[in-house]
Amino acid sequence: MKKLLTALLLAPALALASGATLHLDKAPDVQGDKAALQSGAKTFINYCMNCHGLSYARYNRLTELGLSEQQVKDNLLFTAEKIGEPMRVAARPAEQKQWFGAAPPDLSLIARSRASEAGSGADWLYTYLRSFYRDDKRPTGWNNTVFENVGMPHVLWESQGQRILNKDHKLELAVPGTLSAAAYDKQVAELVGFLVWVAEPGAAFRKQLGFGVLGFLVVLFAVAYPMKKAYWKDVR
């Protein structure tokens, strides 16, 4: 009985250990750079929003990135009529399911849902968007080393170029893109940064508030501890 219980307790750990180790590159943190986040928003709307929506975000929140309402209306408001509407795709989910076999997922919380023991959701997205390669066996002509047999095509291939998986199972560039490797990494970092911001626009304020609360508690302790000693000094 003891052996059975031990085996049951260790089974999840053994299963995890037997799985392939996923290596994720560290995503650059651009949350304090509004220009980078604006660029990421532009990339998302131009390349990703044909299929993926951000239903939990509204267009008017983009003004928090330093854009005016008029700039949003003129340059980014493509799938809605009013700036207060959610950032949904123009196609209906039923139509997308008919076209693609399954409706592409909403990406409002993708930067949080992809977090794992291998790294943050931002790390996963950053690595994933830089790991596409040509695969003629796939319906879209593309595959991914992070997400094997992925159904999504490489929408940024013109920027990155076309890569292949060589005989050593390493990615190598076969056809150059319009951007250098460093410039493409920067474009992806900005896109990922925007998705991180969308998942929790109030994250910066939450962190600032947390430090403020900790500071208040330190000050409170500095005042309360001498008072406690004064009140209890005659108690034995």
Side-chain angles (χ1 to χ4, degrees), residues 198-216:
V198 165
E200 190 179 359
F205 173 76
R206 173 177 58 78
K207 293 175 182 178
Q208 291 176 355
L209 180 62
F211 284 118
V213 171
L214 290 175
F216 171 77

Side-chain angles (χ1 to χ4, degrees), residues 42-145:
K42 178 182 177 182
T43 299
F44 180 86
I45 289 174
N46 287 331
Y47 289 95
C48 308
M49 207 167 176
N50 292 323
C51 299
H52 299 283
L54 300 172
S55 299
Y56 299 126
R58 297 181 183 273
Y59 281 100
N60 57 6
R61 295 220 66 163
L62 297 178
T63 58
E64 298 176 20
L65 300 180
L67 298 170
S68 67
E69 288 193 3
Q70 194 59 46
Q71 287 176 317
V72 175
K73 290 177 181 178
D74 292 343
N75 302 300
L76 301 174
L77 190 64
F78 297 147
T79 63
E81 296 181 358
K82 298 179 180 179
I83 195 171
E85 293 185 46
M87 298 175 67
R88 297 192 180 102
V89 295
R92 298 183 179 89
E95 294 173 334
Q96 290 183 306
K97 186 175 181 179
Q98 182 179 359
W99 299 336
F100 307 125
D106 185 273
L107 299 184
S108 300
L109 301 176
I110 188 67
R112 300 182 67 178
S113 65
R114 281 294 178 179
S116 68
E117 70 281 352
S120 67
D123 297 339
W124 189 92
L125 289 169
Y126 182 68
T127 308
Y128 166 72
L129 290 170
R130 296 161 52 253
S131 300
F132 279 93
Y133 65 93
R134 273 295 185 185
D135 186 352
D136 295 333
K137 297 179 182 179
R138 299 296 302 154
T140 64
W142 296 96
N143 210 329
N144 194 287
T145 57

Side-chain angles (χ1 to χ4, degrees), residues 109-211:
L109 301 176
I110 188 67
R112 300 182 67 178
S113 65
R114 281 294 178 179
S116 68
E117 70 281 352
S120 67
D123 297 339
W124 189 92
L125 289 169
Y126 182 68
T127 308
Y128 166 72
L129 290 170
R130 296 161 52 253
S131 300
F132 279 93
Y133 65 93
R134 273 295 185 185
D135 186 352
D136 295 333
K137 297 179 182 179
R138 299 296 302 154
T140 64
W142 296 96
N143 210 329
N144 194 287
T145 57
V146 173
F147 193 153
E148 188 177 1
N149 296 330
V150 65
M152 173 181 154
H154 187 16
V155 295
L156 298 174
W157 71 270
E158 290 182 321
S159 297
Q160 186 186 32
Q162 300 182 41
R163 299 204 292 176
I164 60 174
L165 202 63
N166 62 25
K167 60 181 180 181
D168 297 323
H169 297 283
K170 301 293 185 180
L171 293 173
E172 64 179 37
L173 187 64
V175 180
T178 59
L179 298 179
S180 66
Y184 179 74
D185 288 349
K186 181 175 181 291
Q187 182 184 40
V188 171
E190 292 170 344
L191 173 58
V192 171
F194 172 68
L195 290 173
V196 170
W197 177 82
V198 165
E200 190 179 359
F205 173 76
R206 173 177 58 78
K207 293 175 182 178
Q208 291 176 355
L209 180 62
F211 284 118

